């Protein structure tokens, strides 16, 4: 499996955009143009995931200091349940080795329509070697749990990551922070 940087010239660009929109609810999606714009900076990597020459999914990682935040990750619908999710997490952990590699996931709310899916997702990340972290993460109107490896994410570090990625203006408008 390999990571290839996404650009507008990527063969699967339209499929990547479509997968992103299908895999994440509207209230959890950053504007695609913003992802693409920031992917050209040192603070973000937008990856297309390949098995040989077959495109299987995407991963978007925001970085700052010792933090590597898996902001988005999705496997193509037709490639799911083939082990690619676990392989992609292992590949990303290896690529960002030496960093605190972490992600946010929906809280296991029993009243949520996708409660069972949330439990399965948590179990999947545990199987991939990620551990629960002591804080929650607020992004706009959604509060998430955090899982990761390589140390914990401290509130000030996360604030710096967000400010570096979004810039001073957007980081003041968009509420993204660690909640103790």
């Amino acid at each position: 499996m390999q990571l290839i940087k996404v650009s507008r010239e990527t063969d699967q660009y339209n499929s990547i955009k479509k997968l992103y929109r299908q895999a994440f609810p509207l209230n959890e999606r950053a504007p695609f143009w913003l992802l693409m714009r920031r992917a050209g900076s040192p603070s973000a990597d937008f990856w297309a995931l390949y098995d040989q020459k077959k495109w299987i999914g995407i991963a978007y990682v925001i970085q700052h200091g010792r933090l590597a935040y898996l902001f988005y990750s999705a496997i193509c619908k037709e490639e799911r349940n083939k082990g690619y999710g676990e392989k992609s997490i292992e590949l990303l952990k290896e690529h960002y080795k030496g960093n605190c590699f972490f992600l946010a996931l929906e809280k296991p709310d029993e009243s949520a329509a996708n409660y069972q899916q949330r439990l399965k997702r948590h179990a999947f990340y545990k199987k991939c070697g990620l551990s629960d972290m002591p804080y929650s993460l607020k992004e706009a109107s959604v509060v998430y749990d955090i899982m990761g490896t390589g140390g914990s994410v401290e509130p000030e570090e996360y604030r710096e990551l967000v400010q570096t990625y979004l810039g001073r203006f957007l980081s003041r408008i968009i509420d993204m922070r660690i909640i103790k």
Side-chain angles (χ1 to χ4, degrees):
M1 215 167 134
Q2 58 186 343
L3 302 169
I4 305 290
K5 295 255 183 166
V6 171
S7 74
R8 285 178 177 76
E9 288 75 42
T10 301
D11 288 342
Q12 288 77 23
Y13 179 79
N14 289 330
S15 297
I16 287 167
K17 197 173 186 177
K18 184 178 177 182
L19 174 61
Y20 172 70
R21 289 187 173 143
Q22 290 174 343
F24 303 99
L26 183 60
N27 68 328
E28 295 181 18
R29 284 194 317 245
F32 194 79
W33 64 264
L34 178 66
L35 298 180
M36 289 304 298
R37 176 176 251 187
R38 295 297 194 258
S41 75
S43 65
D45 292 321
F46 199 168
W47 300 111
L49 306 168
Y50 287 88
D51 182 5
Q52 305 296 340
K53 294 185 180 196
K54 179 171 60 172
W55 174 66
I56 58 157
I58 59 171
Y60 193 93
V61 179
I62 300 173
Q63 309 170 77
H64 180 73
R66 66 178 196 89
L67 300 182
Y69 176 21
L70 181 56
F71 200 39
Y72 295 106
S73 179
I75 302 297
C76 302
K77 198 173 210 172
E78 52 279 351
E79 302 301 335
R80 292 180 191 153
N81 300 311
K82 297 180 181 178
Y84 287 126
E86 193 171 345
K87 287 177 187 173
S88 69
I89 296 296
E90 289 306 315
L91 181 63
L92 290 162
K93 282 172 33 183
E94 182 60 32
H95 186 81
Y96 295 100
K97 192 175 185 174
N99 291 297
C100 172
F101 179 78
F102 71 102
L103 54 84
L105 67 161
E106 296 169 308
K107 291 184 163 293
D109 178 359
E110 290 183 30
S111 66
N114 68 342
Y115 175 64
Q116 290 301 318
Q117 182 185 45
R118 292 177 185 206
L119 292 178
K120 285 179 185 177
R121 196 173 288 134
H122 183 266
F124 166 76
Y125 288 125
K126 263 212 174 318
K127 181 180 172 190
C128 290
L130 303 181
S131 302
D132 294 315
M133 292 193 175
Y135 305 129
S136 294
L137 186 65
K138 184 175 190 309
E139 292 182 349
S141 63
V142 184
V143 177
Y144 300 96
D145 283 339
I146 308 172
M147 294 182 79
T149 186
S152 66
V153 180
E154 296 302 320
E156 181 60 25
E157 287 178 302
Y158 180 76
R159 188 190 64 72
E160 289 173 10
L161 175 134
V162 169
Q163 191 170 38
T164 300
Y165 177 71
L166 291 177
R168 287 183 187 262
F169 179 73
L170 286 179
S171 65
R172 288 183 183 157
I173 294 172
I174 302 167
D175 187 12
M176 293 178 67
R177 60 190 157 94
I178 297 278
I179 301 171
K180 291 186 179 187

